[in-house]
Amino acid sequence: MRIVVIGREGQVARALAERAAKHGAKAVLLGRPQLDLADPSGIEDILRDTGGDVIVNAAAYTAVDQAETEPELAEAINGIGAGVIAGVAAAMRVPVIHISTDYVFDGSLDRPYREDDVVNPLGAYGASKLLGEQAVTEAAEDHAILRTAWIYSPFGKNFVKTMLRLARDRDEIGVVADQFGSPTSALDLADGIYAVARNLLDKPQDRTLRGIFHMAAPDFASWAELATEIFAVSARLGGPSAKVRPLSTAEYPTSAKRPANSRLDGTKLATIHGISLPSWRASLVPCLERLIRESGAA
Ligand SMILES: NC(=O)c1ccc[n+]([C@@H]2O[C@H](COP(=O)([O-])OP(=O)(O)OC[C@H]3O[C@@H](n4cnc5c(N)ncnc54)[C@H](OP(=O)(O)O)[C@@H]3O)[C@@H](O)[C@H]2O)c1
């Protein structure tokens, strides 16, 4: 399988590159400046020149708070750009896998979100990602939209790396304790993406495999619980550690509002695609081992 990945330096893109061999695949990563989602003009040529069996769009404008001040750019990249990628995939007659987010929901439900629950993004980032889902759905029949959440990995910027960095200088860190989600390893997600790609390629006529799916770790946490576990494991491994002081969302104001509940229900993915991701608690350990071993990178 030759998989073309948009988003060269991102967490998910790098995880897809790292896990390619395990799945007998070759991953070709494309990113700025050669391919810019905000400038659709050259996208078709570069994708056609690259070729491939499946296209994965793992690139996005992901600065959740900054998106509040530049919503048009977020829309151009996450909405219009995502649709362009899907349109080219359709023209090339290859499936497209698009990565979306828990932030399309407002978090008001009292259970994990299912795919057909009502969307109502609270901020500009979530709104731009929702536009992307709609654009992909319109542009390409042969698509899988995978909503994921709270991604961590040894790569790029993420909560796990931020906690380790802060713990080097501080004894106590205030962390939001009233937002709940599905912390998801980018490497687990990459394995899941390869499995979806395989299913799409093996069964090109199977419409049930197409559409929106939730792909995230099956167990949930608040940011404070996640931080507490990070420091417990890190301390065991000889890495940095700090005391976690639970905060309410009101005590930690941010430009963008975030859903209090962004837990994702993975039942549809398990039933239809036969895919479940491992627990975040299990996958956190190798991630921390690697970050601590490569310390300085965190
Ligand atoms: N991180 C999370 O917690 C989270 C949660 C739910 C869903 N998601 C979704 O998961 C996907 C992957 O997220 P991630 O954490 O891997 O993101 P990331 O680490 O922030 O990486 C985003 C990538 O997108 C690229 N990009 C941004 N604007 C671009 C543009 N105009 N043209 C081409 N590439 C562009 C960036 O390229 P540069 O290196 O050039 O900046 C970067 O490589 C995204 O769709 C995101 O919305 C993420």
Side-chain angles (χ1 to χ4, degrees), residues 105-156:
F105 296 117
D106 64 16
S108 58
L109 276 191
D110 60 0
R111 57 162 172 77
Y113 276 87
R114 297 194 280 259
E115 287 77 356
D116 53 0
D117 282 323
V118 173
V119 288
N120 181 30
L122 296 176
Y125 165 76
S128 71
K129 293 292 292 182
L130 179 57
L131 271 179
E133 291 187 357
Q134 292 159 345
V136 169
T137 306
E138 274 167 29
E141 240 173 74
D142 194 359
H143 73 268
I145 294 169
L146 306 177
R147 290 190 188 130
T148 190
W150 295 24
I151 298 176
Y152 67 90
S153 71
F155 318 119

Side-chain angles (χ1 to χ4, degrees), residues 9-12 32 36-37 58-60 62 99-100 125 129 148 151:
E9 299 299 326
Q11 296 190 76
V12 174
R32 292 189 286 198
D36 185 346
L37 288 174
T62 54
I99 312 302
S100 193
Y125 165 76
K129 293 292 292 182
T148 190
I151 298 176

Side-chain angles (χ1 to χ4, degrees), residues 211-223:
I212 299 181
F213 297 89
H214 289 174
M215 182 182 278
D219 42 353
F220 311 118
S222 70
W223 292 111

Side-chain angles (χ1 to χ4, degrees), residues 170-174 231 241-245:
R170 297 194 206 164
D171 297 329
E172 188 178 281
I173 300 168
F231 294 137
S241 168
K243 185 169 182 290
V244 173
R245 179 165 39 88

Side-chain angles (χ1 to χ4, degrees), residues 43-248:
I43 290 181
E44 176 149 13
D45 284 350
I46 188 167
L47 284 177
R48 284 194 182 275
D49 286 351
T50 307
D53 302 312
V54 54
I55 295 174
V56 178
N57 183 10
Y61 181 112
T62 54
V64 175
D65 290 311
Q66 208 176 315
E68 296 300 310
T69 53
E70 35 187 25
E72 295 85 4
L73 182 60
E75 242 176 57
I77 295 170
N78 295 347
I80 300 163
V84 172
I85 297 290
V88 174
M92 290 170 64
R93 299 185 175 281
V94 298
V96 61
I97 298 177
H98 178 75
I99 312 302
S100 193
T101 175
D102 50 339
Y103 282 15
V104 295
F105 296 117
D106 64 16
S108 58
L109 276 191
D110 60 0
R111 57 162 172 77
Y113 276 87
R114 297 194 280 259
E115 287 77 356
D116 53 0
D117 282 323
V118 173
V119 288
N120 181 30
L122 296 176
Y125 165 76
S128 71
K129 293 292 292 182
L130 179 57
L131 271 179
E133 291 187 357
Q134 292 159 345
V136 169
T137 306
E138 274 167 29
E141 240 173 74
D142 194 359
H143 73 268
I145 294 169
L146 306 177
R147 290 190 188 130
T148 190
W150 295 24
I151 298 176
Y152 67 90
S153 71
F155 318 119
K157 281 192 202 155
N158 59 67
F159 183 81
V160 174
K161 291 177 76 174
T162 302
M163 286 300 112
L164 291 183
R165 190 182 67 243
L166 293 178
R168 292 224 171 85
D169 304 322
R170 297 194 206 164
D171 297 329
E172 188 178 281
I173 300 168
V175 184
V176 171
D178 56 3
Q179 291 168 20
F180 295 85
S182 316
T184 301
S185 152
L187 290 161
D188 292 341
L189 189 63
D191 288 336
I193 292 169
Y194 279 111
V196 167
R198 176 50 59 209
N199 288 345
L200 295 179
L201 291 172
D202 285 351
K203 295 188 175 162
Q205 305 305 333
D206 188 341
R207 292 183 66 86
T208 63
L209 296 171
R210 276 77 189 166
I212 299 181
F213 297 89
H214 289 174
M215 182 182 278
D219 42 353
F220 311 118
S222 70
W223 292 111
E225 285 166 349
L226 174 56
T228 302
E229 183 70 6
I230 291 168
F231 294 137
V233 176
S234 175
R236 255 194 341 259
L237 296 170
S241 168
K243 185 169 182 290
V244 173
R245 179 165 39 88
L247 298 179
S248 67

